[in-house]
Amino acid sequence: HTYFGTKYVGSLYAQENYDFSEKLSTQATAQVRFQNFSFERDNIGVFTGLNYDVDYLFFSPRIGFTYDVNENFDLYTNFAVASRTPTDKAIFDGDTPDPGELPNLEVVDSMMVDGAMQYQFGDPTVESERVTDIELGLTYRDSKAAIDFNLYHMNYKNMIVAEGGVTDGIYNSLNVDRVVHSGIEVATTYKFSNKISLTSNFAYNHNRVKEFKTTIYTIDYMNSAEVDFSDKKVSRYPEILANIIADYNNEKFRFTYYGNYIGKQYSDLYNIEELAIDPVFVSSIAVELKLGKFMGAGNLLFSTRVDNLFSKKYESAVAYAENYVTGTGDVEGWSTFYVASELSFFSQLKMEMF
């Protein structure tokens, strides 16, 4: 069978910069965005014809203020509203092998036409996501050091979750009524000399489901129970992320060390401990040799990078997670994971012509 999808996207954008004084300034932006997606599949064999159009219209304002305390030190605050649509595949997977599968759209009407069932569809059952973001931060810069500090609070309405731990056996997206992401982000850089520098960043993320109740089924779909996910941690979001980069660079040789820490994260929305990904710290190194001119054609450089230096075995991400209820009403679940590569390296020989 064949199908055709067409997408149209258009937007209007406006921005205004205004200086209240030499120290205080503001930037305001606004965007109106329209998006249309249409899908057509003809009657071919057991695959019935499907036709639908989905329209979205969003208004996304943003305003920010910056105050220059002095030549090194700035304060800022931002307020923004943004939206995100579900993916096309979340509405309907055109490659499905099931000829009877319908898109995740409300069925307004249906009728038999020439021996085939035809449907009139309404809005998607997976709604668009809306987020309100408030940030407050400061920056510091001088000849040796740089510091960025940011506080943020993001309030999601109808947050789109890949599975959310609740499916009918199909990998569907769904909406979580209300989710809050808030936290602290810190980034620093310090130059010990023209050759040696140290860069780091740290983020603490408080991610919680505030409102979400849904029905979960037993494995055989014979029974179900309503489950309240309020105050659960959002799956796939580590609470702590940290990186450190130590760099030595001279005219002929460069050596860089990378350290990456990923905190504990839950794979399912019900936060089953046995399905969580444990914290991990991974080291990598990179080396670059500048070999100089090669036959007068250009500068020759050799570089190599070694990732997961100590061959740690760990799960790098969640592939899929699902919750179900038992006959006694307890919530259980299962997950599949992407496994990280052990020690790996990549080398290259490069010539810079210009």
Side-chain angles (χ1 to χ4, degrees):
H1 67 282
T2 58
Y3 61 89
F4 301 91
T6 306
K7 181 176 287 187
Y8 296 95
V9 178
S11 66
L12 293 174
Y13 179 83
Q15 178 173 301
E16 176 69 20
N17 296 295
Y18 184 77
D19 295 328
F20 294 99
S21 65
E22 290 185 356
K23 291 183 175 292
L24 181 62
S25 62
T26 184
Q27 182 185 82
T29 63
Q31 182 192 50
V32 177
R33 179 165 59 96
F34 170 78
Q35 182 174 315
N36 168 269
F37 178 72
S38 62
F39 180 94
E40 296 181 10
R41 185 179 72 185
D42 296 329
N43 281 313
I44 300 179
V46 295
F47 287 87
T48 59
L50 287 176
N51 297 275
Y52 62 83
D53 282 89
V54 179
D55 296 323
Y56 297 98
L57 182 64
F58 301 118
F59 175 63
S60 302
R62 176 184 176 275
I63 187 168
F65 296 90
T66 302
Y67 183 76
D68 297 328
V69 178
N70 55 45
E71 63 180 9
N72 303 116
F73 186 46
D74 293 333
L75 299 172
Y76 66 86
T77 184
N78 288 313
F79 171 82
V81 178
S83 300
R84 182 167 70 105
T85 66
T87 62
D88 302 336
K89 194 171 183 178
I91 297 175
F92 184 66
D93 183 1
D95 295 324
T96 176
D98 182 3
E101 184 176 333
L102 296 178
N104 292 318
L105 300 166
E106 296 175 355
V107 178
V108 177
D109 195 10
S110 62
M111 64 183 69
M112 192 70 70
V113 178
D114 296 331
M117 185 64 72
Q118 300 294 316
Y119 298 91
Q120 180 183 347
F121 296 108
D123 294 330
T125 55
V126 182
E127 299 181 40
S128 57
E129 177 183 284
R130 189 79 164 165
V131 59
T132 302
D133 177 32
I134 301 173
E135 299 187 20
L136 177 66
L138 61 86
T139 62
Y140 176 84
R141 299 283 188 278
D142 65 26
S143 59
K144 282 185 169 291
I147 300 174
D148 293 277
F149 180 85
N150 186 58
L151 297 171
Y152 69 91
H153 180 84
M154 305 172 74
N155 191 0
Y156 284 80
K157 180 181 179 183
N158 295 325
M159 182 179 179
I160 300 172
V161 179
E163 296 88 20
V166 186
T167 74
D168 59 0
I170 301 173
Y171 290 14
N172 291 331
S173 297
L174 53 83
N175 296 114
V176 175
D177 299 335
R178 183 168 170 259
V179 172
V180 168
H181 292 271
S182 57
I184 301 170
E185 299 170 327
V186 183
T188 64
T189 299
Y190 188 80
K191 293 182 179 180
F192 294 92
S193 66
N194 291 333
K195 298 178 181 180
I196 302 173
S197 65
L198 184 67
T199 302
S200 67
N201 58 68
F202 171 85
Y204 170 75
N205 309 289
H206 180 83
N207 309 303
R208 294 294 185 275
V209 175
K210 292 301 182 182
E211 298 175 19
F212 183 49
K213 292 181 180 180
T214 193
T215 300
I216 297 184
Y217 294 88
T218 54
I219 292 180
D220 58 9
Y221 291 92
M222 298 299 292
N223 296 291
S224 63
E226 185 177 66
V227 177
D228 189 351
F229 289 89
S230 299
D231 294 324
K232 295 293 185 182
K233 296 180 181 180
V234 182
S235 56
R236 309 185 186 209
Y237 283 85
E239 280 198 336
I240 296 176
L241 293 169
N243 295 279
I244 187 169
I245 302 173
D247 186 64
Y248 173 81
N249 188 13
N250 65 24
E251 294 181 356
K252 297 290 185 180
F253 172 77
R254 183 173 189 176
F255 176 85
T256 308
Y257 169 81
Y258 302 89
N260 175 228
Y261 177 83
I262 304 172
K264 179 180 179 179
Q265 57 182 305
Y266 288 97
S267 65
D268 70 303
L269 203 58
Y270 201 72
N271 299 170
I272 297 175
E273 289 292 336
E274 292 79 7
L275 302 180
I277 296 179
D278 293 328
V280 64
F281 183 83
V282 181
S283 296
S284 302
I285 58 170
V287 176
E288 182 180 275
L289 297 175
K290 302 171 185 178
L291 303 177
K293 291 283 187 180
F294 179 74
M295 299 179 63
N299 292 316
L300 197 62
L301 290 88
F302 172 79
S303 64
T304 187
R305 175 169 174 139
V306 181
D307 289 314
N308 197 356
L309 186 61
F310 302 107
S311 287
K312 288 214 172 171
K313 298 178 180 180
Y314 65 98
E315 298 93 1
S316 61
V318 180
Y320 181 72
E322 182 175 353
N323 288 122
Y324 59 88
V325 291
T326 64
T328 58
D330 296 327
V331 179
E332 299 291 346
W334 61 272
S335 298
T336 58
F337 302 91
Y338 293 110
V339 179
S341 169
E342 296 182 47
L343 185 147
S344 62
F345 68 92
F346 173 79
S347 301
Q348 67 176 353
L349 188 64
K350 180 173 65 175
M351 180 179 289
E352 293 182 344
M353 304 296 292
F354 304 100

